Amino acid sequence: MSIRMMAIDLDGTLLHDDMTISSYSRDVIKKASEEGFKVVIATGRMCNSARKKMEVLELGNVPVVCYTGAWIMMGETGEAIYQEGMDPKFASKALLWAKEEGLKVTAFWDDKIYMEGPDGTAFFNPPKKVTRIVFSDPDPAVRLEIRKAIENKFGDAVDVVFPGDDFVDMHKSGINKATAVKYLADQAGISSSEIMAFGNTENDVPLLRMA
């Protein structure tokens, strides 16, 4: 079958080290869109951050997969297409565990990033589904130990990935770029064999395998 959809990662793939998109890449992607290919940006970034990068591509109101697949929003309007995350009680348990273990941790909900403040009560009791919990450490060996500890503690309830840099991302089980892109493809009547994917880190692997 011919390719009908292109799913493209941002950081490390489309973006240069200085966080810019080359005019060549922009022109090629824009031409593909004009010729009928459905272009989907699939990133681990927050949606507001991803949408700002998409402005350079001038693709119009196309879908953007954010948070490694936990959210799908429209690039221009910000309309929510799909939103998933960890149950607040489960997320609270995970955040309190991280505090007990002395881990550096942040959490995301409402497309905002939260961290413990002077009064950590609100942080450890999120009011709604938590899109993602992120642990950080500059030492790769420590990050590996953090990952093992998360997987041992929470098992099949979560998916854990190294997205790049100093981070360890924890999502609700089943959240990944492949699931989100397939959701969009199914709506458009596009099969997995008609998807071309571009990515460079572990959080891209399910997508690359699907395509």
Side-chain angles (χ1 to χ4, degrees), residues 69-87:
W71 279 27
I72 305 173
M73 298 185 77
M74 299 306 294
E76 286 188 345
T77 65
E79 176 190 359
I81 304 299
Y82 176 89
Q83 293 179 330
E84 189 51 274
M86 290 169 273
D87 176 82

PDB file of all heavy atoms in Angstrom, residues 69-87:
ATOM      1  N   GLY A  69       1.683  10.559  23.637  1.00  0.00           N
ATOM      2  CA  GLY A  69       0.446   9.876  23.274  1.00  0.00           C
ATOM      3  C   GLY A  69      -0.684  10.022  24.258  1.00  0.00           C
ATOM      4  O   GLY A  69      -1.803   9.562  23.996  1.00  0.00           O
ATOM      5  N   ALA A  70      -0.456  10.668  25.382  1.00  0.00           N
ATOM      6  CA  ALA A  70      -1.522  10.817  26.381  1.00  0.00           C
ATOM      7  C   ALA A  70      -2.578  11.831  25.944  1.00  0.00           C
ATOM      8  O   ALA A  70      -3.752  11.707  26.308  1.00  0.00           O
ATOM      9  CB  ALA A  70      -0.937  11.229  27.724  1.00  0.00           C
ATOM     10  N   TRP A  71      -2.159  12.814  25.171  1.00  0.00           N
ATOM     11  CA  TRP A  71      -3.098  13.828  24.668  1.00  0.00           C
ATOM     12  C   TRP A  71      -2.970  13.944  23.154  1.00  0.00           C
ATOM     13  O   TRP A  71      -1.883  13.784  22.591  1.00  0.00           O
ATOM     14  CB  TRP A  71      -2.782  15.210  25.252  1.00  0.00           C
ATOM     15  CG  TRP A  71      -3.305  15.475  26.625  1.00  0.00           C
ATOM     16  CD1 TRP A  71      -3.568  14.568  27.610  1.00  0.00           C
ATOM     17  CD2 TRP A  71      -3.596  16.770  27.183  1.00  0.00           C
ATOM     18  NE1 TRP A  71      -3.995  15.213  28.740  1.00  0.00           N
ATOM     19  CE2 TRP A  71      -4.026  16.561  28.504  1.00  0.00           C
ATOM     20  CE3 TRP A  71      -3.524  18.063  26.685  1.00  0.00           C
ATOM     21  CZ2 TRP A  71      -4.396  17.618  29.347  1.00  0.00           C
ATOM     22  CZ3 TRP A  71      -3.884  19.115  27.518  1.00  0.00           C
ATOM     23  CH2 TRP A  71      -4.320  18.894  28.836  1.00  0.00           C
ATOM     24  N   ILE A  72      -4.094  14.260  22.510  1.00  0.00           N
ATOM     25  CA  ILE A  72      -4.099  14.676  21.111  1.00  0.00           C
ATOM     26  C   ILE A  72      -4.893  15.972  21.039  1.00  0.00           C
ATOM     27  O   ILE A  72      -6.038  16.028  21.501  1.00  0.00           O
ATOM     28  CB  ILE A  72      -4.753  13.634  20.176  1.00  0.00           C
ATOM     29  CG1 ILE A  72      -4.095  12.258  20.330  1.00  0.00           C
ATOM     30  CG2 ILE A  72      -4.668  14.109  18.723  1.00  0.00           C
ATOM     31  CD1 ILE A  72      -4.810  11.158  19.566  1.00  0.00           C
ATOM     32  N   MET A  73      -4.276  17.003  20.472  1.00  0.00           N
ATOM     33  CA  MET A  73      -4.961  18.285  20.316  1.00  0.00           C
ATOM     34  C   MET A  73      -4.750  18.807  18.908  1.00  0.00           C
ATOM     35  O   MET A  73      -3.801  18.405  18.225  1.00  0.00           O
ATOM     36  CB  MET A  73      -4.451  19.302  21.338  1.00  0.00           C
ATOM     37  CG  MET A  73      -4.691  18.904  22.783  1.00  0.00           C
ATOM     38  SD  MET A  73      -4.225  20.172  23.977  1.00  0.00           S
ATOM     39  CE  MET A  73      -5.607  21.297  23.835  1.00  0.00           C
ATOM     40  N   MET A  74      -5.628  19.701  18.480  1.00  0.00           N
ATOM     41  CA  MET A  74      -5.469  20.323  17.177  1.00  0.00           C
ATOM     42  C   MET A  74      -4.445  21.457  17.280  1.00  0.00           C
ATOM     43  O   MET A  74      -4.451  22.233  18.238  1.00  0.00           O
ATOM     44  CB  MET A  74      -6.803  20.848  16.656  1.00  0.00           C
ATOM     45  CG  MET A  74      -7.855  19.757  16.463  1.00  0.00           C
ATOM     46  SD  MET A  74      -7.301  18.379  15.419  1.00  0.00           S
ATOM     47  CE  MET A  74      -7.104  19.210  13.832  1.00  0.00           C
ATOM     48  N   GLY A  75      -3.574  21.524  16.277  1.00  0.00           N
ATOM     49  CA  GLY A  75      -2.432  22.410  16.338  1.00  0.00           C
ATOM     50  C   GLY A  75      -2.762  23.889  16.431  1.00  0.00           C
ATOM     51  O   GLY A  75      -2.082  24.629  17.142  1.00  0.00           O
ATOM     52  N   GLU A  76      -3.786  24.345  15.731  1.00  0.00           N
ATOM     53  CA  GLU A  76      -4.105  25.774  15.738  1.00  0.00           C
ATOM     54  C   GLU A  76      -5.147  26.130  16.789  1.00  0.00           C
ATOM     55  O   GLU A  76      -4.973  27.081  17.547  1.00  0.00           O
ATOM     56  CB  GLU A  76      -4.589  26.211  14.355  1.00  0.00           C
ATOM     57  CG  GLU A  76      -3.479  26.310  13.324  1.00  0.00           C
ATOM     58  CD  GLU A  76      -3.943  26.936  12.015  1.00  0.00           C
ATOM     59  OE1 GLU A  76      -5.174  27.037  11.780  1.00  0.00           O
ATOM     60  OE2 GLU A  76      -3.068  27.319  11.225  1.00  0.00           O
ATOM     61  N   THR A  77      -6.235  25.387  16.835  1.00  0.00           N
ATOM     62  CA  THR A  77      -7.341  25.748  17.726  1.00  0.00           C
ATOM     63  C   THR A  77      -7.145  25.280  19.157  1.00  0.00           C
ATOM     64  O   THR A  77      -7.773  25.813  20.081  1.00  0.00           O
ATOM     65  CB  THR A  77      -8.667  25.163  17.211  1.00  0.00           C
ATOM     66  OG1 THR A  77      -8.603  23.723  17.268  1.00  0.00           O
ATOM     67  CG2 THR A  77      -8.930  25.601  15.773  1.00  0.00           C
ATOM     68  N   GLY A  78      -6.296  24.275  19.353  1.00  0.00           N
ATOM     69  CA  GLY A  78      -6.127  23.719  20.690  1.00  0.00           C
ATOM     70  C   GLY A  78      -7.264  22.818  21.123  1.00  0.00           C
ATOM     71  O   GLY A  78      -7.331  22.416  22.289  1.00  0.00           O
ATOM     72  N   GLU A  79      -8.137  22.477  20.184  1.00  0.00           N
ATOM     73  CA  GLU A  79      -9.264  21.591  20.513  1.00  0.00           C
ATOM     74  C   GLU A  79      -8.737  20.223  20.959  1.00  0.00           C
ATOM     75  O   GLU A  79      -7.874  19.637  20.320  1.00  0.00           O
ATOM     76  CB  GLU A  79     -10.163  21.416  19.295  1.00  0.00           C
ATOM     77  CG  GLU A  79     -11.317  20.440  19.509  1.00  0.00           C
ATOM     78  CD  GLU A  79     -12.042  20.102  18.225  1.00  0.00           C
ATOM     79  OE1 GLU A  79     -11.666  20.645  17.164  1.00  0.00           O
ATOM     80  OE2 GLU A  79     -12.973  19.284  18.287  1.00  0.00           O
ATOM     81  N   ALA A  80      -9.268  19.737  22.066  1.00  0.00           N
ATOM     82  CA  ALA A  80      -8.853  18.429  22.584  1.00  0.00           C
ATOM     83  C   ALA A  80      -9.562  17.315  21.821  1.00  0.00           C
ATOM     84  O   ALA A  80     -10.790  17.298  21.717  1.00  0.00           O
ATOM     85  CB  ALA A  80      -9.169  18.332  24.062  1.00  0.00           C
ATOM     86  N   ILE A  81      -8.789  16.387  21.280  1.00  0.00           N
ATOM     87  CA  ILE A  81      -9.325  15.235  20.568  1.00  0.00           C
ATOM     88  C   ILE A  81      -9.328  14.001  21.464  1.00  0.00           C
ATOM     89  O   ILE A  81     -10.240  13.175  21.427  1.00  0.00           O
ATOM     90  CB  ILE A  81      -8.491  14.944  19.297  1.00  0.00           C
ATOM     91  CG1 ILE A  81      -8.433  16.172  18.402  1.00  0.00           C
ATOM     92  CG2 ILE A  81      -9.049  13.738  18.544  1.00  0.00           C
ATOM     93  CD1 ILE A  81      -9.786  16.643  17.914  1.00  0.00           C
ATOM     94  N   TYR A  82      -8.312  13.901  22.287  1.00  0.00           N
ATOM     95  CA  TYR A  82      -8.144  12.727  23.142  1.00  0.00           C
ATOM     96  C   TYR A  82      -7.290  13.133  24.332  1.00  0.00           C
ATOM     97  O   TYR A  82      -6.271  13.807  24.175  1.00  0.00           O
ATOM     98  CB  TYR A  82      -7.449  11.622  22.341  1.00  0.00           C
ATOM     99  CG  TYR A  82      -7.114  10.360  23.106  1.00  0.00           C
ATOM    100  CD1 TYR A  82      -8.021   9.314  23.207  1.00  0.00           C
ATOM    101  CD2 TYR A  82      -5.861  10.206  23.713  1.00  0.00           C
ATOM    102  CE1 TYR A  82      -7.704   8.151  23.902  1.00  0.00           C
ATOM    103  CE2 TYR A  82      -5.541   9.050  24.399  1.00  0.00           C
ATOM    104  CZ  TYR A  82      -6.464   8.028  24.492  1.00  0.00           C
ATOM    105  OH  TYR A  82      -6.135   6.883  25.188  1.00  0.00           O
ATOM    106  N   GLN A  83      -7.731  12.751  25.550  1.00  0.00           N
ATOM    107  CA  GLN A  83      -6.957  13.047  26.746  1.00  0.00           C
ATOM    108  C   GLN A  83      -7.042  11.866  27.700  1.00  0.00           C
ATOM    109  O   GLN A  83      -8.138  11.407  28.026  1.00  0.00           O
ATOM    110  CB  GLN A  83      -7.467  14.316  27.434  1.00  0.00           C
ATOM    111  CG  GLN A  83      -7.247  15.586  26.621  1.00  0.00           C
ATOM    112  CD  GLN A  83      -7.784  16.819  27.328  1.00  0.00           C
ATOM    113  OE1 GLN A  83      -8.734  16.763  28.072  1.00  0.00           O
ATOM    114  NE2 GLN A  83      -7.143  17.957  27.088  1.00  0.00           N
ATOM    115  N   GLU A  84      -5.889  11.391  28.120  1.00  0.00           N
ATOM    116  CA  GLU A  84      -5.857  10.253  29.035  1.00  0.00           C
ATOM    117  C   GLU A  84      -4.790  10.509  30.090  1.00  0.00           C
ATOM    118  O   GLU A  84      -3.924  11.372  29.927  1.00  0.00           O
ATOM    119  CB  GLU A  84      -5.556   8.962  28.242  1.00  0.00           C
ATOM    120  CG  GLU A  84      -5.709   7.679  29.019  1.00  0.00           C
ATOM    121  CD  GLU A  84      -7.028   7.533  29.741  1.00  0.00           C
ATOM    122  OE1 GLU A  84      -7.118   8.040  30.883  1.00  0.00           O
ATOM    123  OE2 GLU A  84      -7.957   6.928  29.183  1.00  0.00           O
ATOM    124  N   GLY A  85      -4.866   9.787  31.189  1.00  0.00           N
ATOM    125  CA  GLY A  85      -3.883   9.976  32.240  1.00  0.00           C
ATOM    126  C   GLY A  85      -4.131   9.052  33.412  1.00  0.00           C
ATOM    127  O   GLY A  85      -5.039   8.222  33.401  1.00  0.00           O
ATOM    128  N   MET A  86      -3.316   9.216  34.424  1.00  0.00           N
ATOM    129  CA  MET A  86      -3.406   8.389  35.630  1.00  0.00           C
ATOM    130  C   MET A  86      -4.493   8.906  36.554  1.00  0.00           C
ATOM    131  O   MET A  86      -4.663  10.118  36.725  1.00  0.00           O
ATOM    132  CB  MET A  86      -2.054   8.383  36.353  1.00  0.00           C
ATOM    133  CG  MET A  86      -0.967   7.619  35.630  1.00  0.00           C
ATOM    134  SD  MET A  86       0.684   7.896  36.342  1.00  0.00           S
ATOM    135  CE  MET A  86       1.186   9.370  35.447  1.00  0.00           C
ATOM    136  N   ASP A  87      -5.237   7.982  37.153  1.00  0.00           N
ATOM    137  CA  ASP A  87      -6.252   8.341  38.138  1.00  0.00           C
ATOM    138  C   ASP A  87      -5.615   9.180  39.248  1.00  0.00           C
ATOM    139  O   ASP A  87      -4.487   8.893  39.682  1.00  0.00           O
ATOM    140  CB  ASP A  87      -6.850   7.052  38.722  1.00  0.00           C
ATOM    141  CG  ASP A  87      -7.838   7.329  39.817  1.00  0.00           C
ATOM    142  OD1 ASP A  87      -9.000   7.624  39.512  1.00  0.00           O
ATOM    143  OD2 ASP A  87      -7.429   7.261  41.010  1.00  0.00           O
TER     144      ASP A  87
END
